[in-house]
Amino acid sequence: MHLLSSEESGAAEARRLDETDPLPTLRAEFRVPAGPDGGEAAYFAGNSLGLQPRAAAELVGEELADWARLAVEGHHRARRPWIAYHELLREPAARLVGALPHEVVAMNSLTVNLHLMMATFYRPAGDRTRILIEDSAFPSDSYAVASQAAHHGLDPAEAVVRLRPRPGEEHLRTEDVVGLLEREGDRVALVLLGGVNYLTGQLMDIPAITKAGRAAGAVVGWDLAHAAGNVPLRLHDWDVDFAAWCSYKYLNGGPGAVAGCFVHERHARNAALPRLSGWWGNDPATRFAMRPDFVPVASADAWQLSNPPILAMAPVLASLRIFDRVGMDALRAKSRRLTGYLAGRLAGIGGLEVITPSDPALRGCQLSVRVADAAGLVRRLADEAGVVADAREPDVVRLAPAPLYNTFADCHRAAEALAALLR
Ligand SMILES: *Cc1c(COP(=O)(O)O)cnc(C)c1O
């Protein structure tokens, strides 16, 4: 006998979890879009575009005001002088990815940074020409590596090796990637994998694969689009050669936000490396001497090309301040609680299959579910229940409870809506 319906008791349980969680939600610091009933949506698409931090408008407004007030003088006299603006992002971004400050730079967008990194670090020679990526890589990454191979006069069909899970399995096994590198690593020039796979949500064993790739003599880079701001990273200690990530997903930096890039210090200080250069990569001490000879600054900044887009960086600064305040370890702990709760709720629903690893150590916050009509389901979730998720062709719905602003109540609402729509 039950005094409460299961929906009521589920809602009460979710409310209790929200009220007692060691890290209370920071939802009030974000602009949450409205659902169909006018109340706040349950927003699970932060893995695609994170919500706007309330502080972003103020920081952008200050730059607009300084531009109006000071024009060119703002380079030196703005309240945050533009000439050194990117340096404001350096230390918080370094803390976010576990890097030394001079190993990190905020610049460009993700795919651009992957190309800049490959211009330096993909140096096919002799038999060592292959680029390893995962078969389920994000399309932009596939295009980037194929075009790099072609740029070197190689046949991408041969140079790009796509790693597939074992037949019947959804995820790559670390032992298979490491085994391949041990057996055939002498042909591999570059390993470039996603830290968290955009489709399945699998978190790769970044340290183990980096170690195996480097032991095989390859360069190891990581695309951290779905890992930065989602899982704790220790890029310096893991000896990663380079990494790049975007700032508009978990980092809430705004549409097309300025991206991030990591270059390990053993390379960052190497002036002899080949690279595509621009004036902002020159040592600031001689940048304005306007000489034709390039003197790279001894840090990841050496890969900068242009003077930075201040208006696009201000929201990233607003967002990184929040991550700095909370810290990735506390955020990850909350993320495990939220995603674990949602996974438990999804397990009881017929008509869907969770394809994200069930082991919390092998995933970030995203849960991917396989359903019959993913696009239709996502539309009805939004229109009928105010639950914002996204669909990926052909049959995957992705739900990412972002620990900064999603609540257990959101997860309860998503589970109830999914159960009702799939019934
Ligand atoms: C989101 C994402 C991109 C997007 O690239 P942009 O250059 O930022 O447009 C690329 N790769 C991966 C793995 C992504 O998840």
Side-chain angles (χ1 to χ4, degrees):
M1 209 171 103
H2 298 286
L3 292 177
L4 296 173
S5 71
S6 66
E7 159 136 31
E8 285 165 331
S9 63
E13 165 79 351
R15 207 173 319 115
R16 187 186 61 75
L17 289 168
D18 279 321
E19 282 164 4
T20 57
D21 195 90
L23 180 63
T25 182
L26 278 88
R27 190 182 184 95
E29 299 196 24
F30 292 87
R31 307 283 304 252
V32 183
D37 64 356
E40 286 183 348
Y43 190 78
F44 287 93
N47 55 345
S48 187
L49 184 72
L51 293 182
Q52 182 185 130
R54 287 184 184 274
E58 186 184 335
L59 288 188
V60 174
E62 288 176 359
E63 298 312 326
L64 287 170
D66 281 358
W67 177 22
R69 187 167 60 90
L70 299 164
V72 71
E73 296 286 320
H75 284 305
H76 297 282
R77 291 182 40 225
R79 69 199 86 187
R80 297 173 205 92
W82 301 330
I83 210 155
Y85 197 96
H86 71 279
E87 291 178 13
L88 299 172
L89 281 64
R90 184 195 314 286
E91 298 210 0
R95 284 188 281 274
L96 189 83
V97 299
L100 303 176
H102 64 271
E103 293 174 319
V104 168
V105 57
M107 61 182 188
N108 311 311
S109 48
L110 169 55
T111 309
V112 172
N113 288 341
L114 290 176
H115 274 300
L116 290 177
M117 290 294 100
M118 284 191 278
T120 295
F121 294 109
Y122 177 53
R123 314 297 304 168
D127 265 354
R128 197 184 278 283
T129 57
R130 307 296 197 279
I131 305 174
L132 292 196
I133 65 169
E134 69 275 47
D135 193 42
S136 59
F138 194 83
S140 201
D141 301 50
S142 292
Y143 309 153
V145 296
S147 62
Q148 285 282 336
H151 185 70
H152 285 274
L154 299 167
D155 176 3
E158 211 169 294
V160 178
V161 177
R162 306 184 69 89
L163 302 173
R164 289 188 184 81
R166 294 183 188 187
E169 298 190 1
E170 300 283 354
H171 314 118
L172 288 172
R173 295 193 193 193
T174 304
E175 74 224 57
D176 291 352
V177 181
V178 168
L180 177 73
L181 287 165
E182 282 169 358
R183 284 192 318 275
E184 301 182 60
D186 57 346
R187 295 170 170 221
V188 177
L190 174 65
V191 180
L192 183 57
L193 300 175
V196 173
N197 184 266
Y198 84 99
L199 187 63
T200 65
Q202 179 187 12
L203 169 59
M204 303 298 289
D205 189 338
I206 299 176
I209 292 171
T210 301
K211 189 163 172 235
R214 297 202 62 232
V219 171
V220 183
W222 289 91
D223 182 328
L224 301 176
H226 283 264
N230 182 14
V231 293
L233 299 163
R234 307 229 53 83
L235 299 184
H236 176 84
D237 293 346
W238 294 341
D239 251 351
V240 165
D241 287 300
F242 71 84
W245 57 95
C246 53
S247 306
Y248 50 82
K249 293 172 179 165
Y250 296 105
L251 294 186
N252 311 313
V258 175
C261 197
F262 164 90
V263 183
H264 199 280
E265 69 170 345
R266 67 178 166 273
H267 306 303
R269 293 188 156 156
N270 182 352
L273 286 173
R275 75 188 92 217
L276 300 178
S277 303
W279 73 318
W280 230 254
N282 197 88
D283 186 344
T286 53
R287 182 181 293 148
F288 294 96
M290 299 313 206
R291 305 279 312 154
D293 39 314
F294 178 70
V295 182
V297 56
S299 73
D301 285 16
W303 279 265
Q304 287 185 113
L305 300 179
S306 301
N307 75 105
I310 304 303
L311 298 179
M313 278 187 165
V316 181
L317 180 60
S319 171
L320 287 175
R321 285 176 171 174
I322 300 174
F323 279 90
D324 243 359
R325 191 146 39 83
V326 179
M328 272 315 296
D329 290 338
L331 210 54
R332 171 66 164 162
K334 169 127 196 202
S335 176
R336 288 174 75 136
R337 293 189 289 273
L338 268 180
T339 296
Y341 171 75
L342 181 61
R345 295 292 309 267
L346 296 183
I349 300 174
L352 64 75
E353 179 201 357
V354 178
I355 61 167
T356 304
S358 54
D359 179 352
L362 299 182
R363 67 187 184 206
C365 72
Q366 173 182 320
L367 295 176
S368 304
V369 299
R370 183 164 283 144
V371 290
D373 173 19
L377 182 64
V378 161
R379 206 169 321 113
R380 293 187 66 193
L381 279 171
D383 292 350
E384 296 173 30
V387 172
V388 182
D390 73 8
R392 284 291 175 266
E393 291 292 335
D395 56 1
V396 172
V397 171
R398 306 185 306 170
L399 295 151
L404 282 175
Y405 50 74
N406 280 118
T407 59
F408 292 94
D410 286 339
C411 296
H412 166 72
R413 193 168 150 193
E416 289 295 320
L418 276 167
L421 290 172
L422 289 170
R423 200 167 285 142

